[in-house]
Amino acid sequence: MASLIAVSQTQLLYIKPRLVSPPHQSRSLFLPTGLPAGVRGVRATMPRKAVIVSAATAETPKKKGESKGFVEEMRFVAMRLHTRDQAKEGEKEVKQPEEKAVTKWDPTVEGYLKFLVDSKVVYDTLEDIVQEAPHPSYAEFRKTGLERSESLKEDLEWFKEKGYTIPEPSSPGLTYAQYLKELSMKDPQAFICHFYNIYFAHSAGGRMIGRKVAEQLLDNKALKFYKWDGDLPQLLQSVRDKLNKVAEGWTREEKNHCLEETEKSFKLSGEILRLILS
């Protein structure tokens, strides 16, 4: 009914009523008064075909990237939250040090170790949740090849062997991990948003950060955090396919809810990233 009402409100301005002799079974849309005697009993009706065509054109426009699958929608929203230094589609203004181009960073080993430790807390949590699968759809993302927990463990062991003190996990990582646990139980769409942004951001901008730190602080040593077993583009495509498959069962409202969680994901990840510059 709502769509027909909306159409009638606009189309009545453009479609002229025509006067016809009333069939016995028809119902009037309106009965004019004060007509001349020669046309009494005449009913005014709207052209049915015109109304039907108008209703068919009143469609909700597609979201950016929707025709390519839900992952493309997530990518588009995420890109908009980057700065122009970080991505050509970025719209965010630079406000924090970690939002500058990586080439302008001045990291420290101590800060980088804090980042690695807190990142491990988050990846440990993500991978435990997927393994336990409190929501059945999470099981789709077991053993994707993108897992980072074991790689981070080996990298931290390497730093320890070099004589560095490994810090305890700090508030940014612990807060994010707790938030992910809560989401995984009650809000699968929001959880999937974080899953996507954490793993896919690390495979892109994360690698740029790794190269920058390796050049400045580690004599170009490439950590295992930035190495994958297998072809990375192929691993990412496999996960994209799984994400699109899971999202096929969601309503448009559930998809929108997932997209709305992107900003929260960027905020929590940004607090961990900021540790590099501490």
Side-chain angles (χ1 to χ4, degrees):
M1 286 297 296
S3 61
L4 290 177
I5 292 171
V7 169
S8 66
Q9 289 172 340
T10 56
Q11 295 299 325
L12 282 173
L13 298 175
Y14 304 103
I15 304 175
K16 294 181 179 179
R18 54 188 173 86
L19 301 180
V20 297
S21 298
H24 293 295
Q25 72 274 18
S26 67
R27 298 174 61 188
S28 344
L29 293 179
F30 57 87
L31 184 63
T33 59
L35 291 173
V39 292
R40 289 191 184 278
V42 174
R43 298 172 191 257
T45 62
M46 300 297 295
R48 182 176 298 174
K49 179 182 282 188
V51 174
I52 292 173
V53 170
S54 299
T57 59
E59 298 178 354
T60 303
K62 286 185 177 293
K63 286 190 172 291
K64 188 78 171 181
E66 186 175 355
S67 60
K68 297 182 180 179
F70 186 62
V71 171
E72 184 65 13
E73 290 187 54
M74 289 197 286
R75 189 197 71 81
F76 176 74
V77 173
M79 287 298 100
R80 288 178 57 194
L81 292 175
H82 285 73
T83 66
R84 291 300 297 271
D85 281 345
Q86 296 169 334
K88 64 179 180 180
E89 298 168 82
E91 297 180 4
K92 187 176 180 180
E93 293 182 10
V94 176
K95 294 181 180 179
Q96 301 293 341
E98 77 278 4
E99 293 172 346
K100 296 179 181 178
V102 175
T103 54
K104 300 176 183 178
W105 283 22
D106 188 20
T108 66
V109 174
E110 293 74 20
Y112 189 56
L113 281 171
K114 292 177 185 177
F115 163 75
L116 293 177
V117 168
D118 278 33
S119 293
K120 186 175 185 301
V121 171
V122 171
Y123 281 104
D124 286 347
T125 302
L126 275 173
E127 287 158 29
D128 286 346
I129 289 170
V130 167
Q131 188 60 38
E132 295 166 8
H135 191 277
S137 64
Y138 303 161
E140 292 281 343
F141 305 104
R142 292 172 180 160
K143 297 181 180 180
T144 62
L146 298 184
E147 292 81 12
R148 298 291 86 199
S149 184
E150 191 61 32
S151 297
L152 281 163
K153 179 181 177 181
E154 293 183 31
D155 286 336
L156 290 171
E157 283 295 327
W158 179 83
F159 277 100
K160 189 174 181 180
E161 291 170 2
K162 293 294 181 181
Y164 291 99
T165 300
I166 308 302
E168 292 296 318
S170 60
S171 178
L174 295 171
T175 298
Y176 201 175
Q178 182 58 38
Y179 184 66
L180 290 170
K181 290 176 185 177
E182 294 170 3
L183 281 186
S184 69
M185 300 299 294
K186 64 183 182 181
D187 196 340
Q189 285 77 34
F191 174 76
I192 290 295
C193 174
H194 289 266
F195 177 93
Y196 164 78
N197 280 295
I198 290 170
Y199 281 106
F200 277 69
H202 178 63
S203 70
R207 288 191 293 165
M208 294 174 60
I209 293 167
R211 286 195 294 269
K212 175 66 174 178
V213 172
E215 290 171 4
Q216 288 195 334
L217 304 176
L218 306 178
D219 196 23
N220 286 316
K221 174 178 172 59
L223 298 181
K224 293 193 174 181
F225 190 28
Y226 306 100
K227 296 179 181 179
W228 287 262
D229 293 330
D231 181 62
L232 180 57
Q234 195 170 40
L235 295 174
L236 291 170
Q237 186 57 51
S238 176
V239 175
R240 284 190 194 94
D241 293 341
K242 293 175 187 292
L243 287 165
N244 282 331
K245 178 182 175 183
V246 167
E248 283 177 0
W250 295 351
T251 65
R252 184 65 257 177
E253 289 73 18
E254 288 171 331
K255 290 178 179 179
N256 290 345
H257 176 61
C258 176
L259 298 175
E260 289 163 1
E261 190 70 14
T262 306
E263 191 166 356
K264 180 76 171 182
S265 174
F266 269 56
K267 178 180 181 296
L268 293 171
S269 293
E271 289 172 357
I272 295 176
L273 193 59
R274 194 172 299 135
L275 293 171
I276 298 179
L277 305 177
S278 64

